[in-house]
Amino acid sequence: MLPTRRIPTLVSRPRRSFSKPFQRHNSSVAEPPPAGGHLPSIANSKLLRTTRERSLRTQGLSWNDEQAESTTVRETRKMNVYQAVRDALSIALTKDDNAVVFGEDIAFGGVFRCTMGLAEEFGRERVFNTPLTEQGIAGFAIGMALMGHTPIAEIQFADYIFPAFDQLVNEAAKIRYRSGGQYNVGGLTIRTPTMSVGHGGLYHSQSPEGFFMGASGLKVVIPRSPIQVKGLLLSAIRDPNPVIFMEPKILYRSAIEQVPIDDYTLPLGRAETLVEGSDLTLLTWGTPVYHCETALHMLNDPPPALAPHIPESLRKAKIELIDLRSILPWDAAAITESVNCTGRLVIVHEAGMTAGVGAEIAAEVQKRCFLRLSAPVKRITGWDTPVALQYEKFYIPDAVRIVDGLVETLAY
Amino acid sequence: MASLARLRVSRRLPQLARAIQTSADTTQLASPPTDLSQPFTVKLHEDSFRGYQCDIPDLEVEVTKDQLLGMYKQMTTMRRMEMAADALYKAKLIRGFCHLAIGQEAVSVGMEAGITPEDRVITSYRCHPFAVLRGGTIKGVIGELLGRQIGMSHGKGGSMHIFTPSFFGGNGIVGAQVPLGAGIAFAQQYMNKDAATFALYGDGASNQGQVFEAYNMAKLWNLPCVFVCENNKYGMGTSAERSSSNTEYFTRGDKIPGLQVNGMDIIATREAVKYARKWTVEDKKGPLLLEFVTYRYGGHSMSDPGTTYRTREEVQRMRSTQDPIRGLQRYIEEWGLATEQELKQLDKNAKAEVDAAVEEAKASPEPLLKDLWTDIYYKGTEPPYMRGREREEGSTTTKRHIVLYRLSS
């Protein structure tokens, strides 16, 4: 419900350096998504680093080779997400003789082409198809990792991870603890495509990250763009803990950046501030990062259909947009710092609300920031229904719902 | 002693036996029928079946003209329906994931011909023909694929989610329906029903752990469950040889006997199903594995062109030499049951029936907004509070949301 009561002028807060990043307004976003289900705003996203210079200035990037100091000689190449996945896998296979890549149909590229040509390049001993047996894939990978290898397994869709849930939660997450540190599966990485694709329906558009949140021992990572994918996937593969790496499937082709061709990593467990602001913290991860970006445009410069619902006084609000990136463990310190400054938090995720990741974050933030909060923590998420095919675009929290939530929280 | 000797021979048989043959047209007339209105006898090719710890069905089979023409009509209609789904998908009217059974019609139609309405069937995502044959309608299937109210799940499910009272649906998770089939069979046994459950899955799913768990329970409890492996040679994009250490799926039940069947000859598939039904229901011998060796012409799903892991020539060869519909057509023509003209008329009728169903389905409206929140809990027992349904977060937001979409487009 768009608020009509109490619309205060926003209290001015100490402002951090913040140059207005968005000049363009994309009015197409309030229209229904096209039948293809792609993100209308992503081609114009300013969050994507499409030049070499911006690419090399990626926050937290750490080179993993001899000339680690110099950035002047670094090259970048235009890649989408699936090409960035492939690039990271290729580097991992080249540098680590114990690394192997396997999953259903991955030897000829996989359904999303993330492993194209790897079998030809590294041989079928190292890049191979498995039977259709998710529980088996996870168990098999855990066994390999126990032997000190670096299994990089693919579960073809995150929706299919449930047969492997027991292996991941009871074996992968707990083996270090229950063997008193004698064994671990630190080499294990499970890659899996997640989130909605626009027309995936009940079994191809789910976001199961929240189910793993209590499985201490695991790490869960969800990247938003090609540069992030490459750096975070290499970190995940090399991290001494088992990592579930969830790749937003709608971004495989639609998110394109200039990606450094050398070996680099990005830190796990660290959120990244994409847009600085002082009035409200907008926290998300994966695909909704771009819906949030669109929502910020809409708030600043609403299209005619929305304008009557967005009070003038709120349109200049400075929203801090943060990509959480690591779901487990999540960067509570960074979120706390931001919310202590802004006093308002809106969390956006595609999974349903009840006991979703947002629930945990909201609970923790209200504990840490109780006296600094000016409004209740707002969650804008999928509904507590199945992700039904015909209703998918209503299920997914899109820019309209996000802007609605921003207005409500700003005006509280 | 006699029984011992039989045991020894049957044990060695799998190594000695020739491979199953999968031609669609090798059944011969036992003797020319004198009166076509009476049942007559045909003889199946001797390599139509292979048994594992069981005898094979009798190769001499009694059929009638009406049965064969009826199966021809069903097979052509099912293929037409799948082709219509293919076209609607390519026209972007059907969204989501869609798996077609073109090439595998002899399995669904042969199964329906060999079972009774009391029997139960559950299968994988490749489910459209079973849904129609088990009491559904073509418009109900197409409507479901299109996401319309006329759909068999009122447009809320989509391709893999179609059910009838005797058909427990497709299932989107590979292999997940197989233990369900064992449970359905247990319920039949518990309630003393003279009926069996046919739990279908593919060669890909046969490597899922829960399939073996289901085998074990079914044999342990002697359930009237027929595990039916539709071996179409490829589990998604990986061939059976590359995914399975043992590609003789009918032998994978350990102590459960199995029967491998030419899945392209409709007469063989029907006989195998009848045999399995007698085994489980009349003779009460517990579960049985059936493996239908068949072939899918299309890709695994609509997003798979189906040519990256096999050659176009292979698909073309299967289509031209082992097509189950062309095989039955040949029987009908050679045995003088109908003329080419009459069969062409049946083809035309099938196309017209499917076309009409498609139009009716297209005309049906999309599901109502309120049904986003229905069918999650049993009607009347919904929790008082549920996100997505409460006024301030759910319906109003979504309603306004739709209004805004309409305003701005």
Side-chain angles (χ1 to χ4, degrees), chain A residues 30 35 105 132 199 383 398 404, chain B residues 95-96 208 237-238 393 400 405:
Chain A
D105 281 359
L132 313 187
H199 53 267
W383 308 121
D398 65 357
D404 186 17
Chain B
R95 310 295 307 168
Q208 290 278 9
T238 302
E393 280 192 33
R400 181 172 64 245
Y405 273 148

Side-chain angles (χ1 to χ4, degrees), chain A residues 35-107:
Chain A
H38 64 76
L39 277 172
S41 60
I42 193 161
N44 306 317
S45 173
K46 292 286 183 288
L47 301 176
L48 293 168
R49 293 170 183 264
T50 51
T51 64
R52 174 174 173 274
E53 290 65 34
R54 282 189 71 207
S55 171
L56 294 177
R57 286 202 309 272
T58 297
Q59 197 181 325
L61 185 150
S62 149
W63 301 106
N64 189 41
D65 52 29
E66 286 74 36
Q67 340 97 23
E69 298 309 307
S70 162
T71 56
T72 51
V73 295
R74 304 291 178 181
E75 289 304 320
T76 62
R77 197 167 64 227
K78 189 174 165 185
M79 294 185 203
N80 60 24
V81 165
Y82 78 69
Q83 289 161 335
V85 171
R86 194 225 178 264
D87 197 37
L89 293 176
S90 172
I91 289 173
L93 286 162
T94 304
K95 293 205 171 174
D96 179 353
D97 286 342
N98 283 329
V100 290
V101 172
F102 53 89
E104 295 166 8
D105 281 359
I106 62 103

Side-chain angles (χ1 to χ4, degrees), chain A residues 330-348:
Chain A
W330 62 282
D331 193 349
I335 310 308
T336 306
E337 190 193 335
S338 173
V339 176
N340 275 337
C341 173
T342 63
R344 293 176 165 89
L345 176 62
V346 173
I347 305 166
V348 181

Side-chain angles (χ1 to χ4, degrees), chain B residues 240-296:
Chain B
E241 290 73 22
R242 288 199 222 136
S243 74
S244 302
S245 61
N246 174 7
T247 55
E248 301 197 318
Y249 297 101
F250 67 114
T251 67
R252 286 179 144 207
D254 191 9
K255 291 194 168 182
I256 303 177
L259 186 69
Q260 191 183 37
V261 184
N262 174 1
M264 293 310 234
D265 185 327
I266 183 82
I267 300 177
T269 61
R270 188 190 72 163
E271 284 315 294
V273 171
K274 283 184 168 173
Y275 175 93
R277 195 176 187 284
K278 181 170 184 298
W279 178 284
T280 47
V281 180
E282 290 170 35
D283 301 343
K284 301 201 186 303
K285 292 202 244 181
L288 183 74
L289 253 68
L290 280 186
E291 176 194 346
F292 290 116
V293 183
T294 179
Y295 199 81
R296 78 168 136 74

Side-chain angles (χ1 to χ4, degrees), chain A residues 140-210:
Chain A
F140 180 82
I142 290 166
M144 277 190 76
L146 282 172
M147 297 293 284
H149 282 244
T150 311
I152 307 166
E154 178 179 297
I155 299 292
Q156 195 173 52
F157 282 85
D159 310 68
Y160 307 166
I161 210 163
F162 299 111
F165 196 68
D166 173 63
Q167 287 288 346
L168 294 173
V169 172
N170 276 332
E171 300 300 326
K174 298 185 174 79
I175 183 69
R176 193 188 304 268
Y177 188 91
R178 70 189 180 83
S179 68
Q182 292 183 76
Y183 282 100
N184 72 82
V185 290
L188 173 66
T189 307
I190 303 272
R191 291 180 42 250
T192 188
T194 189
M195 299 196 174
S196 73
V197 70
H199 53 267
L202 290 95
Y203 292 155
H204 293 85
S205 278
Q206 296 175 82
S207 304
E209 67 268 19

Side-chain angles (χ1 to χ4, degrees), chain B residues 123-173:
Chain B
T123 187
S124 69
Y125 37 78
R126 211 176 299 288
C127 67
H128 310 157
F130 295 100
V132 176
L133 296 167
R134 287 265 90 195
T137 57
I138 297 169
K139 66 185 179 195
V141 168
I142 297 286
E144 192 55 43
L145 298 180
L146 290 166
R148 306 301 171 95
Q149 288 182 26
I150 202 175
M152 287 166 68
S153 300
H154 314 298
K156 294 175 71 171
S159 164
M160 299 171 271
H161 314 278
I162 314 181
F163 308 81
T164 76
S166 68
F167 174 60
F168 283 67
N171 192 304
I173 301 297

